[in-house]
Amino acid sequence: MKKMTALILALALLVFSLAGCSSNNSSSASGDDGDKVYRIGICQPLEHPALDAATKGFQDALTEALGDKVEFENKNAQGEQANIPTIINGFVSDKVDLILANATQPLQAAANATNDIPILGTSITDYASALDISDWSGATGRNISGTSDCAPLDQQEDMLVEMFPDAKNVGIVYCSSESNSKYQADVFTKELEKDGLTATPYTISDSNDIQSVLPTACQNSDVLYIPTDNTLASNTEAVKKIAVPAGTPIICGEEGICKGCGVATLSISYYDLGYKTGKMAYEILVNGADISTMDVQYADKVTKEYNEEICNTLGITPPEGYTAISNDQ
């Protein structure tokens, strides 16, 4: 009788053990990592409303999805390019679960630092030029994907022609060390030439060149175009002090620059862009999505906006369908 009781107890323990294994396997298959806390490193080159909004959107998306199971290490290079590789290498040494590269320079630094940790970019205009990919197909084929802040450049050029139909000479101002800016300048130049306009590049190497380059650009141009350029984005007041007194209007690649020194832009929401990037991060971290095959994604909508203050100063009336940029943004 004792042997029978012992046998029954042993069988009961075996059944309980197998049930526990089945439960664990089911949890693993569903992508639930239990108590795991995901650690994410965020690198941003400088403080700027557009980049700040993208970072916030990214963090909000993941916090909504993961709650207290995600931790962010948010690092800002404060405009010093030399700080960016140091920040990225710190993330790699700490073995974070994912890196958010907010702008081109952090993306390039992260790409050089690791082939293993997933890297998501945001506020990147063109991944092919940023990563030197000649046969671009939409996905990078490696541990990198993300979102692009490139509003349709042909539509930006259409806006310039719509607002300034008598313009003949367009100056394109950008920082020569920012590959995404050069990409936009090249594409915008081709669009201008299709409409018979003359495009002239005016490049700066850093903010110190603005005082010498901008007066010449204004003097020789009917309209200026500034793409999404981090150097100029952080120096819009200096640009405004030259361009507005000269009476030279500026079409801008994004809202932040337009709010500082431009007359109009075809804008996207950087918060929404960051939020979309956060959803991509969730798919990678929790659901095991293969980042190497994930296509780079773009903003869902664009908006025609104008700077009411500068337009009034220059005597410009925007066409129908333009929305004034709010001073509260």
Side-chain angles (χ1 to χ4, degrees):
M1 186 69 177
K2 290 182 180 179
K3 290 182 179 180
M4 180 64 69
T5 301
L7 178 60
I8 292 172
L9 287 172
L11 288 171
L13 288 172
L14 178 61
V15 170
F16 180 79
S17 175
L18 289 173
C21 288
S22 174
S23 174
N24 289 338
N25 287 339
S26 174
S27 173
S28 176
S30 68
D32 184 1
D33 287 316
D35 295 329
K36 177 175 175 59
V37 176
Y38 297 98
R39 297 167 56 244
I40 296 177
I42 301 174
C43 182
Q44 190 173 311
L46 74 168
E47 293 178 4
H48 179 266
L51 301 182
D52 295 345
T55 291
K56 187 175 190 309
F58 176 81
Q59 291 177 300
D60 284 355
L62 278 175
T63 301
E64 288 173 15
L66 295 172
D68 59 3
K69 291 186 179 181
V70 60
E71 294 179 352
F72 303 103
E73 188 173 352
N74 198 341
K75 298 286 188 179
N76 193 304
Q78 300 299 332
E80 296 292 334
Q81 293 187 28
N83 292 339
I84 295 174
T86 302
I87 292 170
I88 295 295
N89 288 332
F91 293 156
V92 174
S93 297
D94 291 343
K95 297 181 179 179
V96 297
D97 295 297
L98 184 142
I99 294 172
L100 175 71
N102 190 352
T104 302
Q105 292 159 336
L107 179 75
Q108 292 170 330
N112 291 331
T114 178
N115 292 316
D116 302 315
I117 298 174
I119 301 165
L120 284 176
T122 192
S123 312
I124 313 294
T125 304
D126 179 57
Y127 283 76
S129 61
L131 299 173
D132 196 24
I133 300 174
S134 58
D135 54 344
W136 180 248
S137 62
T140 67
R142 53 171 299 188
N143 62 319
I144 300 171
S145 188
T147 56
S148 169
D149 65 354
C150 187
L153 293 168
D154 58 340
Q155 294 182 37
Q156 290 185 17
E157 193 271 345
D158 288 342
M159 179 171 24
L160 184 151
V161 173
E162 178 183 39
M163 290 191 70
F164 306 103
D166 296 327
K168 300 297 181 185
N169 299 300
V170 179
I172 303 179
V173 184
Y174 65 96
C175 181
S176 57
S177 64
E178 298 188 32
S179 60
N180 280 356
S181 299
K182 185 180 186 307
Y183 164 79
Q184 293 171 83
D186 290 345
V187 174
F188 203 81
T189 295
K190 292 177 182 178
E191 294 297 327
L192 289 168
E193 290 174 346
K194 288 179 184 178
D195 285 325
L197 279 71
T198 299
T200 304
Y202 295 92
T203 60
I204 62 171
S205 57
D206 55 39
S207 59
N208 295 322
D209 291 340
I210 292 175
Q211 296 297 327
S212 60
V213 172
L214 256 293
T216 303
C218 290
Q219 182 179 354
N220 297 333
S221 308
D222 300 314
V223 185
L224 296 181
Y225 172 71
I226 296 179
T228 54
D229 183 287
N230 290 323
T231 302
L232 288 160
S234 59
N235 290 277
T236 56
E237 187 62 27
V239 174
K240 178 182 177 181
K241 287 181 178 179
I242 297 171
V244 171
T248 307
I250 303 174
I251 298 293
C252 304
E254 57 95 1
E255 182 186 86
I257 299 176
C258 188
K259 186 175 180 179
C261 65
V263 296
T265 183
L266 191 65
S267 183
I268 66 168
S269 166
Y270 276 81
Y271 178 87
D272 290 349
L273 198 70
Y275 195 93
K276 178 175 284 193
T277 316
K279 292 172 72 174
M280 294 175 72
Y282 181 86
E283 290 300 316
I284 294 163
L285 295 171
V286 178
N287 293 332
D290 182 358
I291 190 171
S292 68
T293 63
M294 295 177 76
D295 283 347
V296 168
Q297 298 186 27
Y298 296 81
D300 293 324
K301 61 181 181 179
V302 293
T303 305
K304 289 182 176 181
E305 296 183 328
Y306 72 98
N307 184 323
E308 187 172 21
E309 176 194 348
I310 295 180
C311 280
N312 287 341
T313 300
L314 298 180
I316 297 170
T317 301
E320 291 291 330
Y322 284 69
T323 302
I325 297 174
S326 171
N327 289 328
D328 296 331
Q329 293 179 352

